[in-house]
Amino acid sequence: MKEINLIIPDHPYSRKYNSLGGCEDIKSHQWIHCNVKFIAKPVAYDPIKKAFCTLSPFTKLGWRMLNCPTETISRWTIKDSPVATQEGDSLWLSFEILEKIPDAFLKFLSKKFEIKIKLTYYPPYVIQSKEKIFFENKEIF
């Protein structure tokens, strides 16, 4: 699968970009860049892959939670990993989210699909990434 980039049109939380493609709120933003790796056999993460190839992935996955950080995701990139690891193949998902990481959503996916999920994220104005691993609804730091 090649890389797929999706943008929800007229999303209420869309981040504003200038004509050169740079973020307009670079000095005052609260966006967190997230890279999510779903580690499992392709058959296990296939429903996630199919859902994020649409404009309504959360609904397709059965995720409904009010006041969840996932409500702020308006664009994402999804692709298969070009290499397999000892733990299995992986699917990569990348997005920006406002203010908080989507812990509850990733726990939900880990439990529902029984897969290991590795989240690497960059809080605002932080150069070094942070990581969390979710597996069968348990967080491993």
Side-chain angles (χ1 to χ4, degrees):
M1 174 173 123
K2 66 178 183 166
E3 181 176 289
I4 294 176
N5 297 297
L6 288 166
I7 300 170
I8 299 173
D10 302 319
H11 192 279
Y13 290 99
S14 291
R15 194 166 181 189
K16 302 214 184 314
Y17 292 87
N18 62 28
S19 60
L20 299 174
C23 301
E24 290 183 1
D25 60 354
I26 197 69
K27 292 182 180 179
S28 63
H29 76 89
Q30 292 301 311
W31 292 94
I32 300 169
H33 180 81
C34 296
N35 295 315
V36 181
K37 185 186 280 190
F38 301 96
I39 304 166
K41 301 246 183 252
V43 70
Y45 60 69
D46 192 54
I48 298 169
K49 180 178 172 179
K50 286 179 180 171
F52 276 96
C53 288
T54 72
L55 291 178
S56 55
F58 305 107
T59 304
K60 294 213 180 295
L61 292 167
W63 178 248
R64 297 190 200 289
M65 184 174 174
L66 295 175
N67 301 319
C68 178
T70 56
E71 294 174 344
T72 66
I73 299 172
S74 65
R75 56 175 50 210
W76 58 88
T77 299
I78 190 160
K79 67 179 180 177
D80 287 309
S81 169
V83 294
T85 67
Q86 290 179 343
E87 297 173 300
D89 294 327
S90 62
L91 177 69
W92 294 349
L93 175 66
S94 180
F95 55 85
E96 286 186 324
I97 194 163
L98 194 56
E99 297 178 358
K100 296 179 184 173
I101 58 174
D103 282 347
F105 176 64
L106 296 176
K107 287 178 189 177
F108 166 78
L109 291 178
S110 178
K111 184 177 182 180
K112 182 174 182 174
F113 297 104
E114 297 179 357
I115 59 174
K116 184 175 182 180
I117 299 174
K118 180 180 177 184
L119 168 67
T120 305
Y121 62 100
Y122 296 83
Y125 312 111
V126 175
I127 296 173
Q128 188 169 357
S129 66
K130 296 184 178 190
E131 287 187 355
K132 274 191 169 186
I133 296 176
F134 303 88
F135 184 62
E136 294 179 12
N137 213 25
K138 297 174 189 159
E139 288 182 44
I140 306 166
F141 296 91

